[in-house]
Amino acid sequence: MATSAAGHAGLAAGKWSSLSLIEQLANIGSEVSRAIKAHEAGRPDRRDAAVDRGLELFDLTAADDRWRGARRREVLRAREQFCALFWGREREADPASLNRYFLHFALAARRATGRA
């Protein structure tokens, strides 16, 4: 898959670490959802860009010093499942299950900001 140079450079500069874990996971979920939809639509260019952005956000979150232990392990486990969608064996990961997992964070983030 191609590497996106655009990515989330501004987020790496510090904004990402100002977000709560729920907000970070909600944003990751947006990229996960985009990658899955693009893959299902047969749009490899869009899928690859979304996968690159998603992996960058996973890595920024895993590198956040606030998340240690079980929280960091959960982020890395979700990253592993995301990678298994595109590079794993068949049935190793379920796209609907991963979408449902991240939907909970999106809803929680919206509730926290009063937009739900």
Side-chain angles (χ1 to χ4, degrees):
M1 297 201 178
T3 302
S4 168
H8 297 94
L11 294 173
K15 185 179 178 195
W16 192 251
S17 63
S18 70
L19 300 176
S20 70
L21 181 59
I22 288 173
E23 291 169 321
Q24 289 178 347
L25 289 171
N27 281 291
I28 292 170
S30 294
E31 297 301 340
V32 168
S33 178
R34 284 187 189 104
I36 291 170
K37 285 180 184 174
H39 181 72
E40 290 172 349
R43 301 284 312 261
D45 54 330
R46 289 182 180 223
R47 178 203 60 211
D48 292 352
V51 166
D52 287 346
R53 290 188 305 266
L55 290 175
E56 183 180 10
L57 295 180
F58 272 117
D59 292 343
L60 285 171
T61 302
D64 193 322
D65 286 336
R66 295 175 296 166
W67 323 133
R68 297 175 187 266
R71 289 180 176 170
R72 183 171 292 160
R73 280 194 299 275
E74 182 163 344
V75 169
L76 293 174
R77 177 70 178 136
R79 185 187 193 282
E80 182 180 291
Q81 288 297 300
F82 180 59
C83 289
L85 284 177
F86 304 105
W87 295 290
R89 294 184 195 148
E90 192 173 331
R91 295 184 176 202
E92 194 171 343
D94 177 21
S97 175
L98 204 54
N99 263 332
R100 276 193 308 274
Y101 172 80
F102 283 108
L103 177 63
H104 295 290
F105 293 107
L107 294 173
R110 290 186 132 231
R111 261 188 238 118
T113 60
R115 292 184 294 164

